Amino acid sequence: MVFPELRSTENYAMKNPAIASDLSQLSLCFFIKLVQDQGDQIVVSYARVHSNDMIVEIYPTRTEFYVGFKMFRFTSTNLYDDTWQHVCLTWENTQGVTKLYKDGQFTGHVTNNETKNYTLKAGGALVLGQEQDSIGGGFNRKQTLHGRLASINMWDKVLSESDIAAQYTNCSVPHGSVFNWSVFKSLTRGNVTVEEP
């Protein structure tokens, strides 16, 4: 899925409603190729109760993951190098821990106690390439994704390190149990295009 250089609030893919049942844990994985850019870019956002129920936001020097309006910040991973990279984020509400994997390798974890016992509510809108300031809308052009995105899937469990490594090594990703990549290919808007390998 190609998000063009000319950033626009018209460029995105959306499924609404996107999540069928409440989540106390999850894994979100995708392949991404980002061009050098000055600002932040939204890979995916989910809005049901708040506009920031779940967000993956990538900056030149850090990656931020939000669950229930609470932030997990990873500063050790640079994704702006114009090559394909595999990224997986896992979160569970028992300890409130998010783990980040890049190219099949564990790179670090962050704990946010405010997400303990939190549940991501079902029934909201999931958008690729834009951040929602209102459910299904309120986009900001400066946060639009500029790059390529593929094989984005989400599961209702924390995937094992070996499962995540296999996705990267084999480039074969099992369908996500919460949502799977194939669904979004027909839900693009604006100038987003789908390229098949």
Side-chain angles (χ1 to χ4, degrees):
M1 197 174 281
V2 182
F3 290 80
E5 183 173 358
L6 188 60
R7 287 179 163 197
S8 166
T9 55
E10 304 298 313
N11 297 337
Y12 61 94
M14 178 165 63
K15 186 172 191 300
N16 186 13
I19 295 178
S21 55
D22 296 354
L23 300 174
S24 59
Q25 54 183 330
L26 62 89
S27 296
L28 177 70
C29 300
F30 52 89
F31 284 89
I32 193 162
K33 183 179 181 182
L34 287 175
V35 232
Q36 288 292 345
D37 212 294
Q38 300 307 306
D40 57 319
Q41 298 189 54
I42 301 293
V43 179
V44 59
S45 66
Y46 178 71
R48 163 67 172 78
V49 180
H50 302 285
S51 54
N52 294 351
D53 282 308
M54 186 188 72
I55 291 180
V56 177
E57 188 167 11
I58 298 176
Y59 293 81
T61 57
R62 66 187 187 275
T63 298
E64 294 180 356
F65 181 52
Y66 288 82
V67 176
F69 224 66
K70 309 302 179 192
M71 183 177 66
F72 298 85
R73 176 178 285 164
F74 296 89
T75 54
S76 60
T77 307
N78 176 24
L79 299 173
Y80 275 91
D81 66 356
D82 202 23
T83 61
W84 278 105
Q85 316 212 35
H86 183 246
V87 178
C88 276
L89 290 146
T90 68
W91 166 80
E92 49 77 21
N93 74 356
T94 310
Q95 303 295 324
V97 172
T98 286
K99 294 180 180 179
L100 176 66
Y101 298 80
K102 177 185 172 185
D103 294 342
Q105 299 293 314
F106 172 70
T107 64
H109 73 274
V110 176
T111 302
N112 187 324
N113 290 324
E114 292 184 81
T115 67
K116 283 185 179 179
N117 302 317
Y118 175 79
T119 302
L120 192 66
K121 296 294 183 188
L126 194 135
V127 175
L128 305 182
Q130 302 280 354
E131 194 254 334
Q132 304 172 69
D133 284 331
S134 58
I135 295 172
F139 303 146
N140 179 342
R141 186 182 64 82
K142 292 180 179 176
Q143 295 177 309
T144 303
L145 183 63
H146 169 209
R148 293 166 180 258
L149 183 65
S151 299
I152 184 162
N153 288 272
M154 192 159 100
W155 293 264
D156 57 358
K157 62 182 181 180
V158 172
L159 295 178
S160 69
E161 290 197 24
S162 58
D163 285 344
I164 290 170
Q167 285 189 32
Y168 171 69
T169 307
N170 305 331
C171 281
S172 72
V173 182
H175 283 314
S177 57
V178 177
F179 66 79
N180 71 74
W181 169 238
S182 59
V183 169
F184 285 96
K185 293 180 184 179
S186 60
L187 298 174
T188 58
R189 315 275 179 93
N191 292 315
V192 178
T193 56
V194 176
E195 288 183 359
E196 295 293 351

